[in-house]
Every structure is written in C-alpha cells, then in structure tokens.
Amino acid sequence: MLKDTVRTDAYQDFIYENKHIFKDKVVLDVGCGTGILSMFCAKAGAKMVIAVDNSDIIDKARENVFDNGLADTVKCLRGKIEEVTLPVTKVDIIVSEWMGYCLLYEAMLDSVLWARDHYLAPNGLMVPSQTTLHIAPLTDPDYIADHVSFWQFVYGFSMSSMLANIYDEVLIRDLKSSILAADSTPFLQLPLHATTTADLTFTDRSFSMQLNEDIDALDGWVIWFDTFFLPSRDDVVPQNAHAEEWAKKGGKGVAFTTGPGGPETHWRQGVLLIDHSKRKAEALKKGQVIKGQIGYKKREENSRELDIEIKWDVEGSEERGKQVWFMR
C-alpha cells in the first residue's frame, strides 16, 4: 500500500498543504496500518494522534512512531474502534484509508462511520471528505479474444473449465481509457460527514450514458471511484466532478482517481463481463443511449463481501439484460 504513490501522496499532500487545519488538533486514525498517516498528521502539528488498528501491524506502527521520535504525539491502540477506549471523548479530525476494491469490497467504512458518530466533534473534519463511484461501458474485443474465446478451442480441445466464474466474478484489472465506449457516469456519492451505513447498500442507483463510438458488442462494465480531500466540511463536490480534472478546474483540496483516466493504483478497476450465452451480443451505434440501474448488496455471511447487480437497456436496440457479479 505504501508503494501506491497516488494514494499515499494524496494523503501527504493534503495534510502538509493544510497544516493550519491540523495544528494543535486531536486526530483519530482508524485502521492505521504502519502508522504512516498518523505520522503525517503529527509532522503537520497535531497535538495528539490516536492510531487504532485491530491487527498485529499495530506493533510495527508503534515501533515506527518511536523510531521517528513521535511517540509523545502518536498513541497506538490495538483493537476494534468500536471496542477500544480512547484517551479523549472527542477528536477534531478523523483520517482513514478505508477504501476497498470497487470502493466498498472489504472496506472499513462501517467502522469509520461508527467512529465519526461517537468521537468526531460537531465541527470536525473527515479525511478524506467524499468518494464518488463511476461506471462506464466496456468494449474490448482483444481482451475477450485472449481471455474468453481462446479457451473455447485450444489445439482442437475445449478448455472451457478455465472460464469458471469469469462472468460471475468481478475482475480487478488496470485498463486503458480507450476501451471505454462512453464517458463514465457517477452513480453514488458518499459525502462522509453525512453518509450513513444504510447508504452503503442500494438496489436502484440509476445511470445513463451515450456511446461515443460504434461497437461490435457491449462486453461489460467498468467500475471505479474518485476520492476528494476537502479543507472544510462545508465544501461541496459537484455531482459531475472528476478527480483527474479537479486541480485543473480549481477544486479545493486534493483528489485522486482509481479510474482508467489516471495513473494505476493498487485498487485498479472492477471489470464485470457480460454473459452473452443466452442472448447474442448486438452491434451498437455511436449516439445510442444506455440506461440502467446498479445495486450493491452486502452478503449476510460476511458484510465485507459484495454482490453487484446491473440492469441495462440500450435505446433503439434489443441489447438489454440483468446480471449479478460477486466479490469474495
């Protein structure tokens, strides 16, 4: 994770460029890992940083803090944020790197929101402040040929067993923007000062997009997220904002994208291939509009696992469908 410079630089840039926000403040780092974010906050002038993690990494974080001469400022606690006892009743800032694949797979957001509701002061700041999920249609005949069609006939033999779950599982890949058949559309914004756990499960987030080229087939969908670090809880991210254009357009704070329009991150993008075995794929024309709905559902057996359902319909075409993909 530390080698993901896009992610780590975004946190460092925001904290160091806004030292006036952190100076003399009490900061809570939820899921602190190695302690890197806690040490950024301490270096920025925080009065106290409480670093919490429920794994053995907390011992390494404690060593890292001591070795860097920050033990008087950073207090490391082991345990779940819901169970540990903090040395204060309220904090001024909560910082956390909680995001998972497709944003919410194996994410810690439930715990971060719990910490916000129990410990964040009334005018406190969440870092980051907002995330936005995007979806775009995928058309990539080369990928389909190499990873799907190839296994159907290999030296005269069928090896279709190699395709197990390829249409059922969300694949994590780093893609080029050239394989997107339309501009992405945001389908979920999570302003972290107001988001509730109920917002993390949904069935009917609508999307609409217009194809920007002729395509032989709608091969699937691509999902990614943008993250925004804002200096004030009153700052607002427009619904159509894109992180890769945030700084150029004068946006406050810092932003990064995990999408094809930016440098690769360890999150990459979620790829959801459409199973055309029951309905043959149809060629589509530039300008046709795709409308649909997307849902995220947590599994009852494990709340960090996800099922993603997408329904879609292409205007002026027989291309439509409904499919569920899983993340385990």
Side-chain angles (χ1 to χ4, degrees):
M1 297 282 257
L2 288 175
K3 293 181 180 179
D4 186 341
T5 57
V6 174
R7 164 259 197 192
T8 309
D9 286 356
Y11 281 89
Q12 183 186 51
D13 289 348
F14 178 77
I15 293 168
Y16 284 1
E17 290 171 9
N18 293 277
K19 290 183 178 180
H20 63 285
I21 295 176
F22 290 83
K23 183 174 175 56
D24 297 328
K25 296 298 194 297
V26 177
V27 180
L28 173 61
D29 182 357
V30 181
C32 67
T34 61
I36 185 66
L37 303 186
S38 294
M39 292 189 286
F40 286 159
C41 295
K43 283 289 189 180
K47 177 172 63 177
M48 177 190 294
V49 183
I50 306 162
V52 180
D53 204 290
N54 192 38
S55 70
D56 291 340
I57 195 68
I58 194 69
D59 297 324
K60 298 299 183 182
R62 190 176 289 109
E63 290 183 32
N64 293 336
V65 167
F66 179 83
D67 290 344
N68 286 278
L70 298 171
D72 289 340
T73 302
V74 181
K75 313 301 180 186
C76 297
L77 301 178
R78 174 159 189 174
K80 296 180 179 179
I81 188 60
E82 297 90 344
E83 298 174 357
V84 298
T85 300
L86 302 192
V88 296
T89 57
K90 293 294 179 183
V91 301
D92 302 299
I93 299 170
I94 293 178
V95 62
S96 181
E97 195 280 89
W98 54 265
M99 299 82 80
Y101 295 116
C102 293
L103 187 60
L104 297 180
Y105 172 61
E106 290 191 333
M108 299 188 302
L109 186 52
D110 294 59
S111 294
V112 173
L113 297 181
W114 189 95
R116 178 202 66 191
D117 294 342
H118 287 78
Y119 292 117
L120 189 63
N123 294 316
L125 184 67
M126 299 292 290
V127 180
S129 306
Q130 178 165 316
T131 55
T132 301
L133 273 162
H134 292 264
I135 185 171
L138 165 71
T139 178
D140 192 352
D142 291 337
Y143 183 89
I144 298 300
D146 290 343
H147 294 83
V148 180
S149 303
F150 172 81
W151 295 110
Q152 294 170 352
F153 192 77
V154 182
Y155 290 95
F157 300 97
S158 170
M159 294 192 177
S160 57
S161 64
M162 304 301 295
L163 298 175
N165 296 329
I166 196 167
Y167 295 117
D168 303 317
E169 187 173 4
V170 178
L171 310 174
I172 304 301
R173 300 286 187 271
D174 182 54
L175 305 174
K176 303 299 182 184
S177 56
S178 59
I179 56 84
L180 303 182
D183 294 336
S184 70
T185 183
F187 65 88
L188 182 70
Q189 287 185 302
L190 294 177
L192 296 182
H193 294 99
T195 295
T196 68
T197 54
D199 297 326
L200 310 185
T201 299
F202 49 91
T203 59
D204 57 355
R205 304 298 299 187
S206 297
F207 63 84
S208 178
M209 55 195 71
Q210 186 177 60
L211 293 177
N212 53 28
E213 61 179 298
D214 295 349
I215 60 175
D216 293 331
L218 178 61
D219 293 318
W221 307 97
V222 184
I223 293 174
W224 67 88
F225 63 90
D226 290 350
T227 303
F228 299 86
F229 302 76
L230 307 176
S232 169
R233 61 184 293 133
D234 297 324
D235 292 328
V236 177
V237 177
Q239 185 173 359
N240 61 350
H242 291 266
E244 59 267 40
E245 302 170 352
W246 187 247
K248 298 177 187 175
K249 295 187 175 181
K252 295 181 180 179
V254 174
F256 71 84
T257 184
T258 63
E264 182 179 357
T265 70
H266 77 273
W267 289 288
R268 293 172 282 176
Q269 299 91 47
V271 178
L272 300 81
L273 295 180
I274 294 174
D275 184 357
H276 287 293
S277 62
K278 296 180 181 179
R279 180 192 290 268
K280 185 178 179 181
E282 183 175 332
L284 302 173
K285 295 291 186 181
K286 178 179 178 179
Q288 286 187 276
V289 175
I290 307 174
K291 293 186 176 181
Q293 293 181 323
I294 182 169
Y296 273 38
K297 182 180 179 182
K298 298 179 183 180
R299 299 194 73 213
E300 293 183 4
E301 299 87 344
N302 187 336
S303 63
R304 290 194 174 188
E305 296 182 348
L306 280 180
D307 288 334
I308 300 177
E309 181 180 76
I310 301 178
K311 305 172 188 176
W312 68 94
D313 192 339
V314 182
E315 293 183 354
S317 166
E318 294 298 317
E319 177 63 52
R320 61 179 57 87
K322 179 176 76 170
Q323 192 169 329
V324 177
W325 295 262
F326 63 79
M327 302 189 78
R328 305 284 188 269

